[in-house]
Amino acid sequence: MNEPLISTPLSNDPLAPAQVGGSEEPVADSAQDEAVTIEPGASLSETVARLRRSDAGSRELECLAAGVYFESKSEPLAGQLAVGQVIDNRTESRGRFPSSYCGVLTQRGQFSFVRGGRWPSVNKSSLQWKNAVAIARIVAGEIKESNVGKALFFHARRVSPGWRLTRVASVGNHVFYR
């Protein structure tokens, strides 16, 4: 018996969770809406390759992708996924952090690349940006899990902030805490 495929919209409703269906054909709601089918058990790199594109599809996904890009673009994909997961976890923190990706990113004092609620421009045709968009889609669509669980904080290994938090994981060059 064939396992169901995961279909994720690339536009229309970019924050909709992935849907599981039995069809081997990609699902699209209209001629303008493109969908990508992800095989169950596909690796993170295969999934990123399938979801890679320059247009995030919405302002919220663009914010999540910007967080991934500026905080972890030179990290392995697992590290990028972990950073994206922390941003997503913050949106679900019930008031501790803002409830949107853009709100989390622009919250004062949280991300050093954000200045006055804005971040530097991005070359949206670069592979690093396209990977960040794919990671944002994976996180928002709950397609793959990161091994950082419910972590809400991270820092680069090269710094030692002296936080009195529970360390939950170390991925790439980042350490994650809850």
Side-chain angles (χ1 to χ4, degrees), residues 44-58:
L44 179 57
S45 62
E46 291 168 334
T47 305
V48 166
R50 298 279 300 173
L51 295 175
R52 194 179 285 140
R53 64 190 299 207
S54 58
D55 179 18
S58 75

Side-chain angles (χ1 to χ4, degrees), residues 71-176:
E71 290 292 335
S72 62
K73 67 184 171 215
S74 62
E75 292 290 307
L77 294 175
Q80 293 180 44
L81 180 63
V83 166
Q85 187 64 55
V86 167
I87 295 168
D88 186 65
N89 289 347
R90 286 183 174 197
T91 67
E92 298 171 5
S93 66
R94 297 189 177 118
R96 187 170 184 181
F97 295 97
S99 61
S100 70
Y101 298 137
C102 294
V104 166
L105 237 67
T106 59
Q107 185 179 24
R108 189 176 179 147
Q110 295 300 305
F111 292 92
S112 61
F113 67 90
V114 176
R115 300 274 190 240
R118 302 176 61 96
W119 49 83
S121 63
V122 176
N123 175 359
K124 292 187 176 179
S125 64
S126 73
L127 181 60
Q128 290 174 320
W129 173 254
K130 291 175 183 179
N131 284 344
V133 169
I135 292 291
R137 292 190 169 282
I138 289 166
V139 169
E142 299 177 1
I143 297 170
K144 294 270 183 201
E145 289 293 317
S146 169
N147 66 347
V148 299
K150 296 295 181 187
L152 293 173
F153 304 94
F154 64 90
H155 65 77
R157 284 184 195 235
R158 62 180 158 68
V159 300
S160 183
W163 295 340
R164 294 177 186 226
L165 301 170
T166 303
R167 182 177 170 162
V168 295
S170 181
V171 183
N173 287 315
H174 287 99
V175 182
F176 297 84

Side-chain angles (χ1 to χ4, degrees), residues 11-12 27-35:
S11 60
N12 206 13
V27 179
D29 291 332
S30 70
Q32 295 176 331
D33 188 23
E34 180 185 353

